[in-house]
């Protein structure tokens, strides 16, 4: 950088007359969309996502995620689940992330990435257990190195830098994948993390689920920046926008970013433009701050219908396929709900059992007290 | 077999541990090429390379947050926050993540990391460089809070902190960095965490302290000895989890107790120690216990810092009041 600055200075010195400043940097942000809201292909798509099985996989995974999500909200409404963060309308992002990642990669999610988590082997029962108030839900039996759901906004982004640092230090062909929301890009944690990821050219990708809203605050209240993708530019790496309701574009762009990171090319930020068709959580009421008209309009862009139209157009999906899929999804969800509801609470002692590797002597008395009094709350 | 300072002991401990455990990565601001502003990491980058002794961008939240990611991935980060005054943005990562990771994944992931920071007053440092805010960390479940007071304990406790499978905040009293020298053997032997150290045995009064105040406390004990009072001096060393048993045992013997710390009084760790003595050892007390602490004021700029910091006279006076009642 120093030598660049000197060059510029010399250039200027060589000019004897006043002139416009030299441009020292110039950037652009691209937007990618393959499948539009009507389900028409609008750009050449790579061979890999022309495969009918791949397309059916996306469709099934998005459907499964949406049906799970609907079930979770209904469990909450019936008092059988705690506050739940829905991913309605944003399922394509999770499904694309989960499909593009390799097993040895590490996912660091926020809390609307169920689609990705299911594909990585996290079970629906585990997600329900977490929102149902039981820590065992984040003890994933698969995806053992994936991070748990992260509620404090953007606080998981620095973790991704550490995970990627470890991968790079050991020379592994692995990538850390961090998903965050549009609101998260306003936080210092995010800026500190992407800055370091760029500095060290780490194998990490950042997926911004820009669903238009951070609880009640619309995207334009978060930042004057034209795109959130351009924030990557300041951190020294590429950023791009992708239609976050187009699973094909998402899958392709995420795959390319993963390949680049895996091959030592450093980070990428992908801003996935989608829309939060749900409330922020089940504890929120979005009618207080957003219009029905806007919501209605956004339903035209959601990810599932367009993919269904495309599959049917191509002759890749029949009514029997649909019926069979829905039956299978329902059965899996019912099984998961059954497992969730029949999982016993862990007992008061467990509050202490994972606090330290081994419980310090000074806490044994508190543990005994907790267990002694616990019958009142069972 | 030369005598070394506390900062040398930290450096020696880091080097010894890094040589035996390749998963250790030291990171922080100016820790690499510069060897740390206090020289705690001097020579380490040259010896272990820039991938294991990492100069980070100027980003404290990043330092703590990436340490969590590294720890979960099997590395052992030993991070430095340059001064305690810059540690506060880090508390979110410690409170929300480092200490919770094991619990919230039911042991699937854990966070063995050490966060070192110099703390405390007495070196005429600029604003924001002299506070003793260790109590902020003592309130966080799942954490270990360790404060050495001498070169040998710095070495042994640092090894123990690095080897511990849980997150440790390791606060170094910077006034002691070069105050005293001790013969410290580089033998790789850790000291136990979660226990207090009895530095001086006595029968008449128990003086409880940690960090830089240990030295004022030891001087006070010597002065008291001249007037025939045999004080027991306890270095708490690991402030969380607290080894109250050693303190209670001492108080049951002496019946009198003065707690000395540099930090502000209200909700300082002295309050917790006093509360536990009241709960479990009240009937052994022959007199009300006393606290000698920093005031509940903003840490003053250095012209007034000696007015703020507890000194030998205040400790002796408190001890005498306790002995007289």
């Amino acid at each position: 950088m120093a030598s660049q600055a000197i060059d510029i200075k010399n250039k200027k010195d060589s000019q004897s007359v006043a002139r416009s400043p030299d441009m020292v940097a110039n950037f652009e942000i691209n937007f990618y969309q393959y499948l539009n809201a009507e389900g028409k292909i609008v750009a050449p798509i790579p061979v890999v996502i022309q495969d009918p099985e791949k397309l059916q996989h996306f469709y099934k995974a998005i459907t499964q995620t949406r049906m799970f999500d609907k079930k979770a909200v209904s469990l909450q409404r019936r008092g059988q689940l705690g506050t739940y963060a829905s991913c309605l309308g944003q399922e394509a992002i999770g499904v694309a992330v989960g499909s593009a990642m390799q097993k040895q990669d590490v996912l660091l999610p926020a809390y609307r990435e169920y689609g990705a988590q299911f594909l990585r082997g996290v079970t629906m029962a585990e997600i329900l257990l977490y929102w149902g108030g039981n820590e065992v839900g984040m003890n994933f039996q698969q995806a053992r190195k994936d991070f748990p759901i992260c509620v404090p906004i953007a606080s998981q982004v620095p973790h991704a830098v550490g995970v990627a640092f470890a991968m790079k230090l050991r020379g592994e062909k692995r990538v850390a994948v961090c998903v965050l929301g549009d609101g998260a890009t306003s936080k210092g944690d995010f800026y500190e993390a992407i800055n370091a990821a760029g500095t060290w050219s780490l194998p990490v990708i950042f997926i911004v689920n820009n669903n238009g809203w951070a609880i009640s605050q619309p995207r334009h209240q978060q930042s004057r920046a034209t795109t959130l993708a351009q924030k990557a530019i300041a951190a020294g790496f590429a950023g791009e926008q992708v239609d976050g309701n187009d699973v094909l574009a998402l899958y392709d762009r995420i795959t390319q970013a993963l390949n680049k990171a895996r091959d030592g090319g450093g980070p990428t930020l992908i801003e996935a433009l989608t829309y939060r068709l749900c409330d922020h959580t089940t504890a929120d009421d979005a009618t207080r701050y957003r219009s029905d008209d806007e919501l209605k309009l956004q339903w035209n862009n959601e990810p599932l219908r367009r993919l269904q139209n495309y599959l049917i157009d191509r002759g890749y999906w029949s009514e029997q396929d649909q019926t069979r899929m829905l039956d299978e999804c329902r059965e899996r969800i019912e099984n998961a709900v059954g497992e969730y509801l029949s999982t016993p609470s862990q007992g008061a002692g467990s509050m202490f059992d994972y606090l330290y590797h081994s419980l310090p002597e000074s806490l044994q008395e508190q543990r005994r007290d907790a267990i002694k009094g616990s019958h009142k709350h069972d | 077999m030369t005598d070394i300072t506390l900062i040398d002991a930290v450096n020696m401990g880091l080097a010894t541990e890094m040589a035996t455990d390749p998963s250790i990565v030291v990171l922080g601001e100016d820790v690499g090429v510069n060897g740390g502003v206090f020289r705690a990491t001097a020579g380490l980058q040259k010896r272990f390379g820039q991938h294991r002794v990492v100069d980070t961008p100027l980003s404290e939240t990043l330092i703590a947050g990436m340490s969590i990611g590294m720890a979960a991935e099997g590395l052992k980060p030993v991070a430095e926050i340059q001064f305690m005054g810059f540690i506060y943005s880090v508390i979110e990562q410690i409170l929300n993540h480092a200490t919770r990771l094991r619990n919230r994944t039911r042991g699937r992931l854990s966070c063995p990391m050490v966060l070192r920071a110099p703390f405390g007053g007495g070196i005429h440092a600029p604003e924001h460089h002299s506070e003793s805010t260790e109590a902020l960390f003592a309130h966080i479940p799942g954490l270990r809070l360790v404060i050495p007071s001498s070169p040998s304990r710095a070495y042994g406790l640092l090894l123990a902190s690095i080897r511990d499978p849980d997150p440790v905040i390791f606060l170094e009293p910077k006034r002691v960095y070069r105050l005293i020298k001790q013969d410290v053997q580089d033998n790789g032997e850790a000291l136990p965490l979660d226990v207090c150290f009895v530095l001086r045995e006595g029968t008449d009064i128990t003086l409880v302290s940690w960090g830089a105040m240990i030295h004022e406390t030891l001087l006070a004990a010597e002065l008291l000895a001249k007037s025939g009072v045999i004080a027991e001096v306890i270095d708490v060393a690991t402030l969380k989890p607290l080894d109250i048993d050693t303190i209670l045992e001492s108080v049951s013997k002496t019946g009198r107790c003065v707690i000395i710390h540099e930090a502000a009084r209200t909700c300082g760790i002295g309050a917790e120690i006093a509360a536990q003595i009241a709960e479990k050892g009240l009937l052994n007390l022959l007199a009300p216990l006393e606290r000698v602490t920093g005031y509940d004021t903003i840490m003053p700029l250095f012209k007034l810092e000696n007015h703020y910091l507890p000194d030998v006279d205040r400790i002796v006076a408190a001890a005498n009041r306790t002995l007289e009642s």
Side-chain angles (χ1 to χ4, degrees):
Chain A
M1 290 315 283
S3 64
Q4 191 193 8
I6 288 161
D7 286 349
I8 292 163
K9 189 169 174 285
N10 290 342
K11 241 193 244 174
K12 285 193 173 163
D13 287 348
S14 69
Q15 306 287 332
S16 54
V17 292
R19 45 162 292 179
S20 302
D22 296 292
M23 179 161 60
V24 292
N26 185 24
F27 307 101
E28 58 186 39
I29 299 294
N30 293 320
F31 172 76
Y32 294 87
Q33 183 192 50
Y34 297 164
L35 189 66
N36 73 9
E38 285 77 49
K40 303 292 179 211
I41 292 293
V42 294
I45 59 171
V47 176
V48 61
I49 43 178
Q50 294 173 20
D51 172 19
E53 273 186 33
K54 195 93 190 169
L55 294 165
Q56 288 161 355
H57 153 81
F58 292 141
Y59 181 65
K60 287 179 190 170
I62 293 174
T63 305
Q64 177 79 79
T65 305
R66 182 165 297 183
M67 288 172 70
F68 166 82
D69 197 75
K70 193 175 175 191
K71 185 69 182 184
V73 171
S74 99
L75 285 170
Q76 190 280 333
R77 299 295 185 227
R78 283 185 285 160
Q80 290 180 299
L81 193 72
T83 298
Y84 171 76
S86 165
C87 65
L88 184 63
Q90 305 139 77
E91 303 91 343
I93 299 169
V95 166
V97 166
S99 303
M101 286 176 72
Q102 295 183 4
K103 193 168 190 287
Q104 75 274 18
D105 297 336
V106 171
L107 177 67
L108 298 102
Y111 47 76
R112 301 191 202 275
E113 288 71 46
Y114 313 121
Q117 291 176 309
F118 296 154
L119 291 170
R120 294 188 56 72
V122 176
T123 68
M124 290 184 275
E126 285 170 338
I127 297 297
L128 291 173
L129 281 162
Y130 174 73
W131 293 112
N134 190 335
E135 284 87 352
V136 294
M138 291 295 106
N139 184 8
F140 308 145
Q141 294 307 296
Q142 305 288 318
R144 300 288 292 168
K145 301 301 283 183
D146 279 7
F147 270 56
I149 281 173
C150 182
V151 171
I153 301 301
S155 62
Q156 81 278 26
V157 191
H159 305 164
V161 174
V163 169
F165 188 95
M167 291 166 168
K168 181 165 179 161
L169 181 73
R170 295 188 292 236
E172 297 165 345
K173 291 264 181 192
R174 299 166 68 206
V175 183
V177 178
C178 185
V179 188
L180 53 141
D182 43 312
T185 65
S186 301
K187 293 254 307 185
D189 312 43
F190 166 76
Y191 285 107
E192 290 195 19
I194 62 168
N195 178 60
T199 301
W200 293 321
S201 196
L202 295 178
V204 54
I205 68 173
F206 304 96
I207 313 283
V208 177
N209 170 348
N210 177 358
N211 65 16
W213 293 90
I215 305 190
S216 67
Q217 292 303 296
R219 159 63 182 85
H220 68 85
Q221 297 274 61
Q222 290 298 330
S223 170
R224 180 94 174 172
T226 308
T227 70
L228 300 178
Q230 74 202 54
K231 297 192 176 195
I233 304 301
F237 57 90
E240 64 189 37
Q241 282 191 332
V242 179
D243 182 343
N245 297 331
D246 171 5
V247 73
L248 305 188
L250 283 167
Y251 175 78
D252 184 46
R253 297 310 303 172
I254 293 168
T255 301
Q256 293 202 30
L258 284 168
N259 289 343
K260 179 179 150 194
R262 217 179 294 286
D263 294 341
T268 304
L269 188 149
I270 293 174
E271 179 188 1
L273 297 167
T274 181
Y275 192 84
R276 199 190 77 203
L277 294 173
C278 47
D279 295 332
H280 164 65
T281 66
T282 51
D284 176 44
D285 175 7
T287 62
R288 284 202 295 259
Y289 51 80
R290 98 183 155 181
S291 75
D292 289 347
D293 290 347
E294 177 180 321
L295 185 62
K296 214 168 147 189
L297 204 65
Q298 286 292 342
W299 267 102
N300 297 329
N301 294 327
E302 63 83 33
L304 190 60
R305 176 63 58 82
R306 68 172 77 185
L307 187 58
Q308 187 186 52
N309 288 346
Y310 179 60
L311 282 171
I312 291 170
D313 275 359
R314 302 289 304 220
Y316 296 157
W317 198 250
S318 68
E319 211 148 300
Q320 295 94 304
D321 291 332
Q322 181 76 3
T323 309
R324 191 169 59 238
M325 176 190 71
L326 293 179
D327 285 346
E328 286 169 2
C329 286
R330 266 192 289 269
E331 192 185 335
R332 277 194 289 268
I333 289 166
E334 285 315 314
N335 288 342
V337 171
E339 186 184 338
Y340 157 59
L341 292 174
S342 64
T343 301
S345 171
Q346 291 179 93
S350 77
M351 289 190 285
F352 296 85
D353 293 343
Y354 302 93
L355 189 57
Y356 294 92
H357 179 267
S358 36
L359 192 67
E361 194 49 42
S362 58
L363 285 170
Q364 298 290 353
E365 190 187 333
Q366 288 187 27
R367 186 176 187 277
R368 282 191 294 272
D369 285 350
I371 293 169
K372 203 159 63 181
S374 67
H375 62 277
K376 299 193 300 285
H377 310 291
D378 284 342
Chain B
M1 212 90 36
T2 50
D3 286 355
I4 62 169
T5 62
L6 194 153
I7 195 79
D8 295 334
V10 168
N11 185 268
M12 190 165 84
L14 287 170
T16 295
E17 215 48 16
M18 288 189 82
T20 51
D21 182 352
S23 72
I24 296 171
V25 175
V26 165
L27 67 154
E29 294 159 6
D30 309 298
V31 299
V33 179
N34 191 40
V37 293
F38 285 103
R39 319 294 302 139
T41 54
L44 295 182
Q45 191 180 64
K46 205 167 180 189
R47 181 168 168 197
F48 297 103
Q50 59 184 9
H51 299 298
R52 290 188 64 201
V53 183
V54 183
D55 280 319
T56 66
L58 210 165
S59 309
E60 284 83 13
T61 300
L62 169 86
I63 292 168
M66 77 176 280
S67 294
I68 293 164
M70 293 162 82
E73 260 298 316
L75 295 180
K76 169 74 76 163
V78 182
E80 177 177 300
I81 298 296
Q82 207 160 67
F83 287 91
M84 188 106 184
F86 312 142
I87 210 169
Y88 308 117
S89 71
V90 159
I91 292 178
E92 191 206 354
Q93 286 292 335
I94 301 299
L95 182 55
N96 274 336
H97 292 295
T99 51
R100 297 172 68 105
L101 195 58
R102 181 189 295 284
N103 183 67
R104 62 197 301 270
T105 63
R106 302 282 93 168
R108 179 170 64 84
L109 298 173
S110 62
C111 195
M113 62 180 274
V114 178
L115 201 65
R116 299 176 36 248
F119 85 115
I123 64 160
H124 286 210
E127 194 175 10
H128 303 290
H129 287 65
S130 299
E131 286 74 9
S132 294
T133 44
E134 67 270 21
L136 296 175
F137 291 96
H139 196 62
I140 301 177
L143 198 60
R144 278 191 164 75
L145 173 60
V146 179
I147 299 181
S149 64
S150 71
S152 62
R153 277 187 298 284
Y155 178 83
L157 290 172
L158 181 60
L159 294 194
S161 298
I162 295 173
R163 293 170 194 174
D164 192 80
D166 292 302
V168 179
I169 302 288
F170 191 86
L171 299 179
E172 298 160 8
K174 59 181 174 293
R175 189 160 60 86
V176 191
Y177 266 158
R178 294 180 173 86
L179 185 71
I180 53 165
K181 287 188 170 188
Q182 280 179 333
D183 179 14
V184 184
Q185 302 291 315
D186 190 9
N187 54 13
E189 281 179 22
L191 286 169
L193 297 176
D194 308 351
V195 299
C196 298
F197 296 89
V198 179
L199 302 186
R200 181 183 173 121
E201 293 196 17
T203 48
D204 301 333
I205 186 167
T206 302
L207 305 178
V208 178
S209 190
W210 55 90
M213 279 299 120
I214 282 292
H215 299 278
E216 268 59 33
T217 303
L218 285 168
L219 288 174
E222 272 174 38
L223 279 181
L224 289 167
K226 283 180 187 158
S227 54
V229 174
I230 313 300
E232 182 142 302
V233 176
I234 295 178
D235 180 359
V236 181
T238 299
L239 289 114
K240 185 189 183 73
L242 179 66
D243 166 22
I244 196 66
D245 291 346
T246 298
I247 296 169
L248 288 173
E249 199 177 310
S250 177
V251 170
S252 74
K253 182 172 62 178
T254 63
R256 300 170 202 277
C257 182
V258 177
I259 302 162
I260 304 102
H261 61 66
E262 206 174 306
R265 175 169 307 201
T266 300
C267 294
I269 296 172
E272 175 62 29
I273 294 171
Q276 292 204 38
I277 292 172
E279 284 171 341
K280 295 166 185 165
L282 184 68
L283 299 180
N284 291 321
L285 284 179
L286 302 170
L289 61 75
E290 288 234 10
R291 284 181 288 163
V292 180
T293 69
Y295 301 110
D296 285 343
T297 64
I298 308 298
M299 179 78 194
L301 296 185
F302 62 80
K303 287 286 188 194
L304 291 181
E305 74 176 338
N306 288 335
H307 296 264
Y308 175 93
L309 298 171
D311 61 14
V312 175
D313 292 346
R314 283 173 64 193
I315 300 167
V316 171
N320 283 331
R321 281 193 300 274
T322 307
L323 288 157
E324 283 158 15
S325 60

